[in-house]
Amino acid sequence: MPYLSFLLCLLISFSGVYAQQAVTDSLEGRLQQPGLPDSQRLALLTDLAYYYASSHPATGLQYAEKAIRLASQRYQFRPLATAFNYKALNYQRMGRDSLAITWYEKAIALARKGKYVTSEISAMHNLSILYCDRGNYSQALSIRQRVNTLLAGQDDKRRLSLSLNSTGAIYLQLADYPRALRYFQQARQAAPAAGNTAAALTALENIGLVYKKMGQPDKALQYYGEALEGYGPEGSNIARSNLQANMATLYDEQGRHKEALSLFRQALATDRQAGYSRGIARNLTGMGTAYSAMQQYGAAFNCFRMADSILLQAPDANARCALYATWAAAIMHCPDTALAAAGYNRNGRTEAAYALAGKALAYARDSRLKEREMQLTGFLADIRQGQHQYRQALELHRQYVQLRDTVLGEDSKIAFLKQEMQFEADKKELQHQLALQQQKSRQHITLAAAALLLLAGGGAFFIYKKRRDYRQARSELLLKAAISESEMKVLRLQMNPHFIFNSLNAISRYLLNHDTRQADYYLSKFARLMRSILEFSGEKLIPLKDELETLSLYVQLEQMRMVRKFDYIVAVDPQLATGHTFIPPLIFQPFVENSIWHGLSRSATAGYVRLQITAKGDVLCCSIEDNGAGRQVKENPGRRSYGLQITRERLRLLNSERENGHAALLVYDLEPGVGVQLTLPLITEES
Amino acid sequence: MIRAVIIDDEIHAAERLADLLAHYCAAGVTLAGHALDAAAGLALIRDTKPDLVLLDIHLGAATGFELLEQFPDPDFSVIFTTAYEQHALQAIRFSALDYLLKPVDPDELVAAIQKKTNLAARAPQKASLELLFSNMRFHNQGLAKIMIPTMHGFELVNIPDILRCHSDVNYTTIHLVNGDSFLVAKTIGEFEHLLASHHFYRIHQSHLVNLNFIRRYHKGKGGIVVLQNGLELPVAARRKEGFLQKVQSLL
């Protein structure tokens, strides 16, 4: 179940600050106090700007601006730098990245000028995170290096450790796992031995994450476990429940669903205590995933529904995307009984799954989760393909291919960036070495390195492109094959399996009644009919003559089998050269079958089915009429419309292939009976 | 009264056919015997001198054709019977010989027997059989040759020398590379089946071309093929995709 595995992605947590209503309320209360000295007022304003950033950045921005005004009036440059920093932070939370960058840079410049190292570090730290989020990893890294250098000089172990963690996280994004690991380990060592161990625990968790990414789940679990131990069993710690959820996800991916469930439950309890609704929803989604993997679909659907109701109150596109995608997959995979028990309609299975996955897709687009968007599009395509709606499936598949290219493109961009950065690093090293050597050879080597890089890059791109093109061509071909395959399937479906088994049954009955002559006669006709169907199944179009022959063979068999006798009347326009007029094979058969079994078999009067074919202009007008019981009689639902639906689909295919598409279908009531008007393009000598 | 023998290596098929003849064709046919392999069949024909042989194509290790070749100028008529031998069936149809598909439909059997009764002279099949044997032999030996019946006799053609076939309803004109052409009273569909394995493709209702002689292809709704002699032929829209695939498979 590939769609289950991507759902709960790991968050690289740097600082878990939850702006709490209580904190901002109390700060605002203090701000109202009369006669507050400016310095305290300024501190309160910047604090408010900071705390509001995570809950309500628009308000945070106002406080930051107030702080900036006050600090400028009072020439308080250190708080001014902080206020710049928080203004940027609020812009960042509002998604206005370029403004955020501008204000971070102002904060950094001011702090550097005034040598307010802490402020400079804080602003650079934020800016680096912003660059990292925007995928600008080289900028993020170069800023991060400076932060690390400054922090090392500051002897602020906690912050150094956190910054090293962030450095590792950037390398993790770049899929440079060895470097990421090195930084995380440094972060762990740098963390202060006593006091606040959050930095060390984050480092442990991140090391686990690297191992997970490197495909070493056992090692990952080991480090996660170590971190979990560090958190201890006490209290309601959201960082711990986050870790538990991450561990649970990994267990679930390892197929250890029971362990996953137990961890999700623990995390759920903690998050419930803390009232952390995103966490609650995430854990419930995870539990649902585990339950459906264990095929306990009832419990799974319960979890999904609970998660859904929580997310209604605390909307989170990311979490919703995960929930709906897993839910949809569960609906697709669960057996009928479980589906019914959960209150779903069995026939509505694919549509329910499709609707949910569609919702998930919308949220994936909202949160720009390209990879999920790609997977969901693929999932939707598969559903449509399963429903034999190949045109839609093809369209979705095209989107999927496009998305996949984008995702792969991101990967290759990252890979290229990595190369570029490696090159920068190498160049510096080279320059360092070559300072001792002659200028001439230095140029040579740099040139050679550049040429080599170009060559390698070009080669890599070439191989990538070739592989991509090949894959794309292949999948297009496969889909085209699926379309023609669908046509064949449709053809095979045309012959109602009931007919085949009822025929065999009739033969048996003749034998039991010792009417062997009749049995033999029926059998030889039946064999001929099967042979024709077999031959037609490879053809898109066949001569009308062959169709009429096969149809009359079919009717002959039905006439033998039916208790009530009926006439079969064929009236073909004598002008029509039936050997040189082409129609899709077995296109009339379902209607004749409907007439016989839904109309005539119920009618008391002498029945007939009449097939009329005339050419009018560039179309072939065909009608199939009977004088049977008609449509108003309550009938086995679905069967008559099933043949109709298949024929509609075939006509649509026919129309889409021919530009002079005229194919159409009309069912009308007669007194008594039913008529079907089938219009087909007149295909003779081709234009 | 037609005297018939049945040669079929499948005893159920032979007995069923005998039963059908007795039941549906009693007035027109008497059964002179049946044989279950080629050697017994040969003896049976020589002994009973039948008017009609109902002959299975597949006779254990041998084929009905090999048995027939023992009679250079047969004085009996033949109806082939087969369950599913596509190529042989095409060749039989091409030679305008009669056949029945197993399990035999009583109505078709009656019609086939009727035809034999009506043709008082029971038309000499020598030419048709020779055509069939030649084409089967070419096929079995992997030779790219074909014997084509014409108004005046037959043409022995090297398949690679065929440039294209052009259909005119029930007739087909065969155009050779050297510019010769001749008319055959067969539909283009029959040539399409016979030549499919020799890089021929039906690009149009009226045109079957040898893909080896295609010089150029112009894109279009269906497109246009230009042959090496400069002739331009249309490709039908619905055959375009198959055509391009077939061309690609040649490269």
Side-chain angles (χ1 to χ4, degrees):
Chain A
M1 277 188 255
Y3 296 102
L4 294 181
S5 62
F6 70 86
L7 295 168
L8 300 166
C9 77
L10 289 152
L11 302 164
I12 302 161
S13 58
F14 180 72
S15 59
V17 177
Y18 299 99
Q20 283 169 8
Q21 193 82 35
V23 177
T24 49
D25 282 356
S26 115
L27 287 173
E28 276 170 335
R30 280 165 60 193
L31 199 59
Q32 301 305 320
Q33 285 173 10
L36 208 61
D38 278 347
S39 61
Q40 277 188 31
R41 206 177 148 70
L42 202 50
L44 283 172
L45 284 172
T46 47
D47 279 358
L48 276 164
Y50 174 69
Y51 282 115
Y52 267 114
S54 50
S55 65
H56 200 268
T59 314
L61 189 64
Q62 283 171 11
Y63 280 118
E65 271 161 359
K66 276 185 195 162
I68 290 170
R69 265 199 302 277
L70 189 59
S72 321
Q73 282 163 13
R74 299 288 176 269
Y75 300 102
Q76 298 280 322
F77 293 115
R78 191 190 291 266
L80 185 60
T82 310
F84 281 166
N85 185 10
Y86 293 160
K87 185 175 180 179
L89 183 64
N90 280 293
Y91 271 132
Q92 181 182 351
R93 294 286 153 85
M94 290 161 81
R96 303 176 69 172
D97 290 353
S98 53
L99 277 171
I101 292 171
T102 312
W103 286 96
Y104 279 136
E105 277 167 354
K106 281 190 182 185
I108 294 166
L110 184 62
R112 203 168 286 172
K113 212 164 132 192
K115 297 208 165 62
Y116 316 127
V117 182
T118 324
S119 300
E120 188 187 348
I121 289 171
S122 171
M124 283 201 295
H125 165 73
N126 290 341
L127 182 57
S128 170
I129 287 179
L130 176 58
Y131 275 131
C132 185
D133 285 349
R134 289 169 58 83
N136 194 340
Y137 301 115
S138 56
Q139 286 271 31
L141 264 180
S142 79
I143 296 170
R144 188 54 69 188
Q145 303 294 6
R146 185 165 161 79
V147 173
N148 290 345
T149 318
L150 284 177
L151 278 172
Q154 285 269 303
D155 198 33
D156 183 342
K157 286 196 166 171
R158 192 181 72 89
R159 283 181 172 225
L160 176 62
S161 170
L162 290 176
S163 182
L164 288 167
N165 260 322
S166 291
T167 318
I170 297 171
Y171 280 115
L172 195 64
Q173 290 291 321
L174 289 165
D176 187 343
Y177 300 129
R179 280 229 174 99
L181 200 58
R182 211 180 309 147
Y183 274 100
F184 289 143
Q185 270 156 355
Q186 280 180 25
R188 190 185 169 197
Q189 283 156 10
N196 188 347
T197 56
L201 295 178
T202 307
L204 276 172
E205 198 174 339
N206 284 335
I207 293 173
L209 180 57
V210 176
Y211 278 118
K212 184 193 162 183
K213 293 253 184 192
M214 286 164 75
Q216 300 181 29
D218 291 341
K219 268 202 147 162
L221 283 172
Q222 182 196 322
Y223 278 98
Y224 280 160
E226 229 176 289
L228 193 58
E229 243 169 68
Y231 281 116
E234 306 304 323
S236 63
N237 188 335
I238 288 171
R240 190 188 58 176
S241 67
N242 247 334
L243 170 62
Q244 281 172 329
N246 285 343
M247 268 179 98
T249 307
L250 186 52
Y251 271 127
D252 200 44
E253 283 170 14
Q254 295 302 302
R256 293 158 73 173
H257 307 301
K258 282 202 179 131
E259 281 139 305
L261 262 181
S262 134
L263 274 167
F264 274 130
R265 273 204 203 99
Q266 289 173 36
L268 182 65
T270 312
D271 288 340
R272 278 206 171 122
Q273 234 178 356
Y276 176 38
S277 39
R278 278 184 198 193
I280 297 171
R282 176 192 175 181
N283 290 318
L284 283 169
T285 307
M287 283 167 71
T289 314
Y291 274 128
S292 39
M294 291 159 76
Q295 306 197 336
Q296 298 180 20
Y297 289 102
F301 288 130
N302 273 339
C303 288
F304 291 146
R305 284 184 177 137
M306 279 197 278
D308 193 28
S309 66
I310 285 163
L311 285 172
L312 277 181
Q313 293 147 22
D316 177 336
N318 199 329
R320 281 186 158 178
C321 175
L323 170 64
Y324 295 139
T326 333
W327 200 345
I331 288 179
M332 275 311 276
H333 290 109
C334 88
D336 287 347
T337 45
L339 199 67
Y344 288 99
N345 181 356
R346 187 160 60 95
N347 298 322
R349 175 202 292 272
T350 40
E351 278 318 313
Y354 192 87
L356 275 173
K359 259 161 78 176
L361 180 62
Y363 285 119
R365 281 194 188 127
D366 262 14
S367 3
R368 297 198 197 139
L369 298 167
K370 280 283 173 214
E371 200 165 339
R372 280 192 197 176
E373 202 183 329
M374 171 188 93
Q375 280 158 327
L376 282 162
T377 311
F379 181 72
L380 290 173
D382 285 352
I383 291 186
R384 283 298 184 234
Q385 194 160 353
Q387 292 175 314
H388 310 294
Q389 299 189 18
Y390 293 100
R391 298 282 154 186
Q392 274 199 46
L394 180 63
E395 185 42 46
L396 283 164
H397 181 78
R398 286 217 173 106
Q399 287 173 22
Y400 167 78
V401 169
Q402 247 174 26
L403 284 165
R404 196 194 53 201
D405 279 357
T406 321
V407 171
L408 286 180
E410 292 292 328
D411 284 356
S412 70
K413 245 196 277 175
I414 287 175
F416 190 73
L417 209 63
K418 224 161 89 181
Q419 261 189 345
E420 202 176 51
M421 281 172 8
Q422 183 62 47
F423 179 66
E424 285 299 323
D426 290 354
K427 206 169 76 179
K428 271 184 197 150
E429 214 177 300
L430 265 178
Q431 278 168 350
H432 182 71
Q433 280 180 13
L434 293 177
L436 307 167
Q437 295 182 7
Q438 288 180 353
Q439 187 129 10
K440 208 174 163 190
S441 66
R442 188 171 113 188
Q443 272 176 349
H444 274 299
I445 289 175
T446 314
L447 263 174
L452 223 98
L453 183 81
L454 260 170
L455 237 120
F461 179 70
F462 180 72
I463 289 166
Y464 163 71
K465 191 177 175 314
K466 236 182 125 167
R467 277 189 53 171
R468 191 196 60 181
D469 289 353
Y470 165 72
R471 280 207 211 113
Q472 194 162 337
R474 195 166 156 268
S475 63
E476 294 260 324
L477 266 179
L478 282 176
L479 250 148
K480 273 188 187 155
I483 287 176
S484 50
E485 174 63 14
S486 87
E487 286 162 22
M488 302 249 288
K489 272 192 201 139
V490 163
L491 275 182
R492 280 184 220 122
L493 280 173
Q494 283 294 300
M495 193 43 76
N496 185 348
H498 280 140
F499 169 74
I500 295 170
F501 293 112
N502 286 336
S503 289
L504 295 174
N505 199 45
I507 296 166
S508 289
R509 217 191 65 221
Y510 292 138
L511 290 175
L512 288 174
N513 291 343
H514 303 289
D515 193 352
T516 46
R517 186 58 56 197
Q518 187 73 359
D520 176 82
Y521 189 76
Y522 193 97
L523 190 62
S524 57
K525 295 284 178 201
F526 183 70
R528 256 181 75 193
L529 181 62
M530 289 298 120
R531 186 190 295 276
S532 297
I533 291 169
L534 199 65
E535 274 174 19
F536 293 168
S537 70
E539 308 286 333
K540 268 188 184 168
L541 295 170
I542 57 164
L544 177 58
K545 185 164 152 265
D546 294 357
E547 168 83 356
L548 291 175
E549 267 174 31
T550 304
L551 193 60
S552 93
L553 208 51
Y554 164 73
V555 172
Q556 244 183 306
L557 285 169
E558 296 287 39
Q559 279 172 328
M560 275 188 262
R561 209 148 59 78
M562 268 257 290
V563 184
R564 262 184 240 286
K565 297 298 164 201
F566 65 92
D567 288 322
Y568 173 55
I569 307 155
V570 185
V572 180
D573 187 347
Q575 302 291 315
L576 210 57
T578 55
H580 299 281
T581 305
F582 295 84
I583 62 165
L586 297 171
I587 197 91
F588 302 135
Q589 189 273 340
F591 301 110
V592 175
E593 182 174 340
N594 277 342
S595 280
I596 295 173
W597 289 101
H598 296 277
L600 301 178
S601 69
R602 286 170 229 262
S603 156
T605 51
Y608 66 81
V609 189
R610 185 171 54 210
L611 171 65
Q612 260 180 308
I613 302 175
T614 45
K616 276 186 195 151
D618 58 352
V619 293
L620 204 59
C621 295
C622 317
S623 70
I624 298 131
E625 295 181 346
D626 65 67
N627 64 342
R631 280 196 291 186
Q632 51 274 34
V633 176
K634 179 131 181 80
E635 57 190 38
N636 180 15
R639 179 53 206 156
R640 194 192 272 265
S641 60
Y642 179 65
L644 218 78
Q645 193 188 319
I646 282 184
T647 308
R648 287 224 160 90
E649 183 62 17
R650 295 181 71 193
L651 296 184
R652 211 174 53 75
L653 277 171
L654 193 68
N655 280 340
S656 70
E657 281 177 10
R658 297 186 66 86
E659 275 163 35
N660 60 336
H662 293 293
L665 176 64
L666 177 75
V667 183
Y668 50 91
D669 291 308
L670 294 168
E671 274 309 320
V674 177
V676 176
Q677 174 80 47
L678 191 62
T679 314
L680 297 169
L682 182 62
I683 307 170
T684 49
E685 292 292 315
E686 285 149 297
S687 48
Chain B
M1 196 62 114
I2 298 173
R3 293 177 67 250
V5 296
I6 297 170
I7 303 172
D8 195 318
D9 67 338
E10 180 79 33
I11 184 135
H12 301 294
E15 287 189 346
R16 177 166 181 269
L17 194 53
D19 176 76
L20 289 182
L21 282 173
H23 190 267
Y24 293 98
C25 310
V29 181
T30 53
L31 192 62
H34 72 259
L36 295 174
D37 59 52
L42 187 66
L44 182 67
I45 295 172
R46 285 189 174 143
D47 291 349
T48 58
K49 305 214 177 312
D51 306 311
L52 174 65
V53 177
L54 291 153
L55 180 62
D56 189 9
I57 293 174
H58 180 81
L59 288 177
T63 68
F65 304 133
E66 286 162 12
L67 168 59
L68 274 185
E69 282 182 288
Q70 308 295 317
F71 301 93
D73 190 5
D75 54 357
F76 51 84
S77 185
V78 180
I79 297 177
F80 291 101
T81 61
T82 179
Y84 203 80
E85 267 110 341
Q86 280 308 318
H87 184 81
L89 263 185
Q90 275 160 19
I92 291 169
R93 275 194 210 121
F94 191 73
S95 312
L97 288 160
D98 297 305
Y99 63 92
L100 287 168
L101 293 168
K102 292 192 286 192
V104 173
D105 180 344
D107 295 340
E108 295 209 308
L109 175 66
V110 170
I113 297 292
Q114 196 71 36
K115 193 173 149 199
K116 295 288 176 196
T117 320
N118 286 348
L119 289 172
R122 245 165 258 145
Q125 291 179 308
K126 193 180 168 197
S128 294
L129 284 172
E130 271 170 8
L131 187 67
L132 173 66
F133 296 153
S134 310
N135 284 332
M136 284 308 291
R137 209 176 303 124
F138 294 148
H139 175 76
N140 292 339
Q141 295 172 358
L143 293 177
K145 279 178 190 266
I146 185 173
M147 187 97 91
I148 302 173
T150 62
M151 305 297 156
H152 318 290
F154 60 79
E155 295 261 348
L156 180 59
V157 179
N158 274 323
I159 293 176
D161 293 341
I162 301 176
L163 178 67
R164 66 189 179 99
C165 305
H166 178 249
S167 154
D168 184 9
V169 195
N170 288 322
Y171 294 89
T172 302
T173 311
I174 312 291
H175 295 269
L176 300 181
V177 180
N178 62 12
D180 287 354
S181 69
F182 53 92
L183 191 67
V184 188
K186 301 218 166 284
T187 64
I188 198 166
E190 295 198 53
F191 286 101
E192 183 186 1
H193 289 305
L194 276 178
L195 298 177
S197 57
H198 295 275
H199 306 325
F200 279 74
Y201 195 79
R202 180 94 170 265
I203 56 168
H204 187 274
Q205 186 71 20
S206 311
H207 299 292
L208 178 68
V209 296
N210 188 337
L211 297 176
N212 292 322
F213 294 117
I214 287 176
R215 191 169 70 190
R216 214 178 296 140
Y217 170 72
H218 291 299
K219 271 196 257 181
K221 190 162 148 261
I224 288 171
V225 151
V226 182
L227 299 185
Q228 281 184 2
N229 63 359
L231 186 71
E232 294 186 0
L233 296 174
V235 179
R238 78 178 166 99
R239 301 183 194 262
K240 174 180 169 180
E241 200 173 314
F243 165 71
L244 292 175
Q245 267 173 23
K246 179 98 183 189
V247 168
Q248 254 177 1
S249 74
L250 287 184
L251 299 180

